[in-house]
């Protein structure tokens, strides 16, 4: 086999492998996925849902995100490309809102409707802010119904760890260990530490000023003695 023929074959194999990688990446990114700003139990998180394709090749007109029962409230983020509305449902019994009050209904679904249909192959995101449950290891599933000008795709299939991912998986988040007080403020002791450190820094600062003043006095005395000798 000539060198030129061998090089051409190697290049072809490399391009073929690259094409498979790109195809796999494209398939993996074809889902409606979710990226949380935090997964810490008891924290407030912003969940960003992304969509980068239509139903087949048809432009996307609507995204309906269904919220799990563990989530009672949500604040949708405004996206100028979409209108947004919340669908409420009554609770079987009142639940605490975490701020000393009780609520009798919850947000069951958030619907984003495109002002201009999102063409296939163009990516956009929507985001929801919500409180995560206090329990670590809680799996929160957010089924999404993607409606297009022609047809729709239901991203609602669930699966467990170790199982193969289904064709239309529902986005989900799993809570991790809690951090601080759940609101990003930390504990009282941690908040007191900067003040104590500041006090120590002030003391060192004043000590430096005093030492500097003593140095100036000593320098003045030495200069006076030199002039007297002259």
């Amino acid at each position: 086999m000539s060198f030129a023929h061998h090089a051409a074959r190697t290049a072809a194999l490399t391009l073929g492998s690259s094409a498979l990688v790109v195809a796999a990446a494209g398939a993996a990114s074809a889902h409606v996925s979710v990226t949380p700003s935090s997964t810490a139990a008891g924290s407030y998180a912003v969940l960003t849902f992304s969509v980068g394709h239509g139903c087949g090749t048809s432009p996307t007109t609507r995204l309906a995100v269904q919220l799990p029962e563990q989530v009672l409230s949500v604040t949708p983020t405004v996206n100028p490309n979409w209108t947004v509305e919340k669908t409420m449902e009554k609770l079987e019994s009142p639940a605490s809102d975490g701020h000393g009050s009780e609520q009798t209904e919850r947000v069951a679904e958030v619907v984003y409707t495109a002002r201009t249909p999102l063409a296939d192959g163009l990516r956009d995101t929507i985001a929801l802010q919500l409180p995560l449950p206090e329990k670590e290891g809680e799996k929160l599933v957010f089924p999404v119904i993607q409606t297009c000008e022609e047809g729709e795709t239901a991203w609602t299939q669930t699966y467990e760890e170790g199982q193969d991912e289904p064709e239309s998986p529902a986005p989900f988040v799993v809570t991790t260990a809690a951090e601080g007080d759940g609101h990003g403020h930390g504990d009282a002791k941690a908040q007191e530490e900067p003040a104590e450190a500041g006090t120590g820094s002030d003391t060192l600062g004043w000590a430096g000023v005093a030492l500097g003043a003593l140095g100036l006095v000593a320098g003045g005395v030495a200069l006076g003695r030199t002039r007297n000798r002259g």
Side-chain angles (χ1 to χ4, degrees):
M1 182 184 295
S2 67
F3 175 78
H5 184 242
H6 177 75
R9 182 180 179 185
T10 302
L13 289 173
T14 302
L15 289 173
S17 299
S18 299
L20 289 175
V21 171
V22 171
S29 62
H31 306 324
V32 172
S33 59
V34 61
T35 303
S37 63
S38 171
T39 56
S43 69
Y44 274 83
V46 176
L47 307 185
T48 301
F49 296 83
S50 62
V51 56
H53 66 94
C55 310
T57 58
S58 182
T60 300
T61 58
R62 184 176 184 266
L63 293 172
V65 183
Q66 300 170 9
L67 303 181
E69 294 181 355
Q70 302 97 312
V71 176
L72 298 181
S73 62
V74 62
T75 303
T77 301
V78 173
N79 183 325
N81 300 323
W82 308 72
T83 62
V84 59
E85 62 179 344
K86 296 186 286 187
T87 301
M88 309 298 294
E89 73 174 9
K90 294 289 185 181
L91 295 175
E92 294 183 0
S93 59
S96 172
D97 63 359
H99 298 283
S101 301
E102 289 187 337
Q103 56 189 89
T104 58
E105 59 181 4
R106 77 176 192 97
V107 180
E109 184 179 61
V110 177
V111 179
Y112 280 83
T113 303
R115 297 182 187 276
T116 300
L118 179 66
D120 176 54
L122 295 182
R123 179 179 178 275
D124 204 350
T125 61
I126 59 174
L128 308 176
Q129 183 188 52
L130 50 85
L132 298 178
E134 301 285 344
K135 182 181 178 182
E136 178 183 349
E138 192 94 8
K139 183 177 181 178
L140 305 175
V141 181
F142 298 85
V144 178
I145 306 299
Q146 178 185 9
T147 303
C148 300
E149 289 185 336
E150 296 181 7
E152 71 174 28
T153 301
W155 303 97
T156 58
Q157 295 177 314
T158 60
Y159 62 102
E160 299 301 325
E161 185 177 356
Q163 295 180 339
D164 292 336
E165 185 178 88
E167 183 178 354
S168 301
F172 68 89
V173 171
V174 178
T175 59
T176 55
E179 299 175 359
D181 62 0
H183 299 275
H185 300 311
D187 55 29
K189 182 178 180 181
Q191 293 196 34
E192 290 172 1
E193 287 177 352
E196 293 174 359
T199 302
S201 298
D202 292 343
T203 301
L204 290 174
W206 282 111
V209 171
L211 290 174
L214 290 174
L216 289 175
V217 171
V221 171
L223 181 60
R225 289 179 179 177
T226 302
R227 288 180 177 176
N228 290 335
R229 290 176 182 177

